Amino acid sequence: MTTAPAPTRVRIAASCRSVTEAPAFSLVVLTVILGNAVLLGAETYSGFAGDHAVQLRAAEHGCLAFFTLEMLLRLGAHADRPKEFWRDGWNVFDLVVVACAYIPFVRENATVLRLLRMVRVLRTARFLPQLRILFIAVSRSLPGTVSFLFVGAVILYVYAMVGWVCFGSHDPAHFGSLGRALLTLFLLMTLEGLQDAIYNGLAISRLSILYYGSYVLLASFVLVNVLIGVVLNSLDEARELDNAAVDTAGRANDPGRTGADTRPATSPAEPGAGELADRIAGMRRALDTLEQSLAAHPPAPHDRDRMTTIA
């Protein structure tokens, strides 16, 4: 038997949740993140940074204080269910980014601190659904991308060796070694300089058109389309995961919802629960009316025999 959370924790979580789930709060956080990005860009101008060093440092401290307050509110919003906070990857990411600014080594190292402040810009994905889906799609496409890179590396290596054997002595600038051949073919993958490469190959042998044609077909068309397919498939999966996560978060934040609300949402074309209940009630009334009609007017004997034969 589970124990209900303490009333104080519930009140704290409800109060913090009312703030963090407000649209104005998300808008303010997004504005501060973008403002922090503007500050980073302003610091790249040495003259401006030297003249306004005090103001820039104060603005940076203000942004850090705001982000700290934001994380405290998000932690307070999960006071009644702390495990839910750690299950959300964006919460963990935000907490790590903000907490690292208080680590002594990071705080004293200007280069690491600047890199950390740059990472804060990635937090905009939390408040932009399409950008968040894109990040999820990129992460889910990594296994397929690794397989794509392996296949591409094999094709590059095979064609580089063939190019070194066939064109190495005649065109040492592009195929004089394995490294040069790999670099030449990697650039040809983008179709950059393909015309010059074909002309140089034709000057050596007319069969070079088969070499370049097959390579361009595999590297620039087949492999690229395969990569696009992997990314699109991951994008669809990311949309489904994001919708499921939003739905789960909505149920978790609404403790008054019953178990019946855990069903997947129906599409607009499907009837709702109320409409289905009305249809079932109508069918029951129709069956009752039919039973009353049969009881008042029983079928004739020959009709019963015919119904029995049909059955």
Side-chain angles (χ1 to χ4, degrees), residues 229-247:
V230 170
V231 173
L232 290 179
N233 185 42
S234 301
L235 192 60
D236 293 337
E237 295 178 358
R239 288 196 183 98
E240 296 176 0
L241 289 175
D242 187 73
N243 293 334
V246 171
D247 188 45

Side-chain angles (χ1 to χ4, degrees), residues 26-281:
S26 300
L27 182 60
V28 172
V29 175
L30 180 61
T31 303
V32 175
I33 293 174
L34 296 179
N36 181 73
V38 173
L39 290 177
L40 286 173
E43 291 179 1
T44 60
Y45 296 91
S46 57
F48 180 84
D51 297 337
H52 302 82
V54 178
Q55 292 84 349
L56 291 175
R57 183 175 295 273
E60 164 59 19
H61 289 166
C63 290
L64 180 59
F66 178 83
F67 292 144
T68 304
L69 177 61
E70 177 205 356
M71 290 311 307
L72 292 177
L73 289 174
R74 293 194 184 279
L75 288 169
H78 293 80
D80 56 341
R81 43 188 176 86
K83 292 183 179 180
E84 294 294 330
F85 178 86
W86 301 104
R87 291 176 181 173
D88 189 349
W90 289 108
N91 288 335
V92 177
F93 175 77
D94 294 345
L95 181 61
V96 170
V97 170
V98 175
C100 284
Y102 293 96
I103 298 177
F105 172 76
V106 176
R107 184 176 55 191
E108 297 168 0
N109 193 314
T111 302
V112 176
L113 187 59
R114 286 194 181 96
L115 293 176
L116 180 64
R117 292 170 59 192
M118 289 170 55
V119 175
R120 292 178 191 169
V121 181
L122 297 179
R123 298 186 62 221
T124 55
R126 183 188 186 101
F127 308 97
L128 301 177
Q130 295 300 326
L131 186 58
R132 182 172 63 247
I133 291 174
L134 185 59
F135 275 115
I136 297 174
V138 170
S139 63
R140 291 190 63 85
S141 65
L142 289 179
T145 304
V146 171
S147 301
F148 163 82
L149 293 176
F150 178 76
V151 175
V154 170
I155 292 177
L156 270 175
Y157 182 81
V158 171
Y159 273 86
M161 290 300 299
V162 173
W164 174 75
V165 172
C166 297
F167 311 115
S169 58
H170 300 85
D171 190 5
H174 297 93
F175 295 94
S177 63
L178 179 62
R180 291 187 177 183
L182 287 172
L183 178 60
T184 300
L185 293 177
F186 181 78
L187 296 177
L188 288 179
M189 188 181 296
T190 63
L191 303 181
E192 181 69 24
L194 178 61
Q195 184 176 2
D196 296 336
I198 292 177
Y199 285 152
N200 294 334
L202 290 175
I204 300 171
S205 173
R206 292 187 179 273
L207 295 178
S208 62
I209 192 66
L210 298 177
Y211 172 82
Y212 288 109
S214 61
Y215 173 76
V216 170
L217 181 64
L218 286 175
S220 297
F221 293 100
V222 176
L223 285 181
V224 172
N225 288 329
V226 169
L227 179 61
I228 292 174
V230 170
V231 173
L232 290 179
N233 185 42
S234 301
L235 192 60
D236 293 337
E237 295 178 358
R239 288 196 183 98
E240 296 176 0
L241 289 175
D242 187 73
N243 293 334
V246 171
D247 188 45
T248 303
R251 290 197 299 268
N253 293 333
D254 190 359
R257 299 179 65 175
T258 60
D261 295 330
T262 59
R263 297 190 306 267
T266 57
S267 62
E270 297 178 355
E275 186 178 351
L276 287 176
D278 294 340
R279 290 184 182 181
I280 294 174

